[in-house]
Amino acid sequence: MTRHLVDIASLSVAELRHILDLSVAAPKHALAGKGVALIFEKPSNRTRHSMEMAVVQLGGHPVYTRGEEVGFDVRESVEDVTRIMAGYHAVLAARVFRHSFIERMVAVSDVPVINMLSDASHPLQALADIITMEEHVGPIAQSTVAYIGDYNNVARSLAEAVCLLGGTISLGCPSAYDADDDELARLAALGGTVRQSASPQEAIAGADVVHTDTWISMGQEEESAIRRKIFSKYCVDEDLMALAAPNAKFMHCMPAHRGEEVSADVFDGPNSVVIQQGHHRLTAARGALAWVMEKS
Ligand code: CP
Ligand code: NVA
């Protein structure tokens, strides 16, 4: 059966572990002579470059395409784009506003589809986050990961990964920008331990890792003023980090906004692993591509 990478939660623990193993031992010719379509409806630095280079390292050829060029549901339907591109490429990867576009691609594609960020999730980021945490903190099952800020795509995939691997996720999010009861139950069913508090001080207490993301995700620019107000008490600064475990690591998917979701001294400080985390996007991309190609 064709493998797709849409969400972390749709993987078994064994599959997630296998992707992580492949990320450091991907077969060099997994994509030899093959194309990979990289379609972006939103801007990108890390995702575009890490995926392009991972494709090259596995012997394939990446074709970068801006979303407006294919025009999902504007120039032609998501299904028509997908069925045509599946005849040219071994893998179709897309960054979209609507998660349903990824699901519609999967429904008609006979080659693997990889989600490169949607409004619901960012699985490639979560893979890099896990690799970075295991390298700098230790086994996830013995770790408490605090996520402070907006419970959005990055947070959701991170929480899924931490739960699947038996760790503790501690969410510190303002009301209405947090995980609702159904979402908390969904996470808890994956494994591990799930906690949530509207108090960032409570959420971060004793955490081994502290992760955050922008308050204003791509596509939410019109909400900037209200979001800056609502999230103003959720800046990860030195005072907040002092409540985490001694020498707790700071992580951020980036792009980062110093003085908003994180202070400059934390982001650029000695316990920040954000650059290593960003570099592990390439490690993770190799694992994801190698994994989908195993069954193709
Ligand atoms: N973290 C991340 O996905 O970065 P880009 O938006 O630059 O790809
Ligand atoms: N939550 C952010 C992540 C960027 C990588 C966004 O969706 O813009």
Side-chain angles (χ1 to χ4, degrees):
M1 217 169 86
T2 306
R3 282 179 177 168
H4 304 283
L5 182 57
V6 174
D7 280 306
I8 296 292
S10 53
L11 301 170
S12 66
V13 178
E15 285 173 323
L16 176 54
R17 273 281 156 226
H18 187 44
I19 295 175
L20 296 170
D21 290 345
L22 283 171
S23 70
V24 288
K28 295 251 175 319
H29 306 293
L31 283 165
K34 297 180 193 295
V36 174
L38 303 172
I39 307 162
F40 284 86
E41 286 193 319
K42 306 176 186 180
S44 171
N45 170 6
R46 280 146 290 273
T47 308
R48 175 183 178 179
H49 284 265
S50 59
M51 284 292 280
E52 285 207 22
M53 289 316 299
V55 171
V56 169
Q57 289 174 0
L58 300 183
H61 180 86
V63 179
Y64 169 80
T65 308
R66 291 282 310 177
E68 59 264 31
E69 290 177 59
V70 291
F72 280 142
D73 278 359
V74 175
R75 192 163 181 266
E76 55 190 326
S77 71
V78 171
E79 287 76 12
D80 287 353
V81 174
T82 304
R83 281 187 291 238
I84 291 296
M85 281 204 179
Y88 309 146
H89 296 287
V91 180
L92 308 181
R95 166 169 285 198
V96 297
F97 284 96
R98 277 171 278 185
H99 189 74
S100 60
F101 281 13
I102 299 283
E103 291 169 335
R104 285 168 58 193
M105 291 176 75
V106 167
V108 299
S109 181
D110 51 17
V111 302
V113 173
I114 295 180
N115 175 6
M116 295 195 294
L117 182 135
S118 69
D119 51 354
S121 52
H122 199 358
L124 293 171
Q125 181 67 52
L127 294 174
D129 295 348
I130 294 294
I131 294 166
T132 310
M133 286 190 266
E134 295 203 321
E135 193 171 283
H136 292 273
V137 182
I140 303 298
Q142 272 103 62
S143 302
T144 296
V145 181
Y147 176 88
I148 307 297
D150 190 14
Y151 188 72
N152 195 8
N153 40 24
V154 166
R156 197 175 287 115
S157 293
L158 174 71
E160 290 176 0
V162 170
C163 287
L164 262 185
L165 295 176
T168 297
I169 184 86
S170 180
L171 303 170
C173 314
S175 169
Y177 297 85
D178 56 0
D180 64 19
D181 289 347
D182 287 349
E183 176 66 4
L184 292 173
R186 185 185 74 85
L187 291 174
L190 296 173
T193 305
V194 186
R195 300 202 306 246
Q196 180 164 256
S197 171
S199 157
Q201 288 78 14
E202 195 177 320
I204 207 171
D208 303 298
V209 187
V210 179
H211 200 300
T212 189
D213 182 12
T214 183
W215 295 338
I216 302 150
S217 285
M218 291 180 273
Q220 297 173 337
E221 290 77 8
E222 284 179 7
E223 301 169 31
S224 295
I226 178 82
R227 282 177 165 271
R228 284 201 178 95
K229 207 166 150 194
I230 288 166
F231 286 100
S232 62
K233 294 193 171 58
Y234 291 80
C235 175
V236 180
D237 58 16
E238 291 281 17
D239 287 348
L240 199 56
M241 284 298 286
L243 303 174
N247 290 318
K249 299 298 177 200
F250 174 76
M251 297 179 65
H252 192 311
C253 58
M254 299 172 83
H257 309 84
R258 291 170 179 80
E260 293 195 9
E261 72 273 9
V262 59
S263 63
D265 50 6
V266 168
F267 188 82
D268 299 309
N271 289 322
S272 172
V273 293
V274 296
I275 301 302
Q276 296 92 323
Q277 180 185 2
H279 289 169
H280 273 316
R281 290 295 309 274
L282 176 57
T283 320
R286 279 195 300 264
L289 287 163
W291 179 71
V292 296
M293 286 308 295
E294 274 186 342
K295 293 281 175 180
S296 290

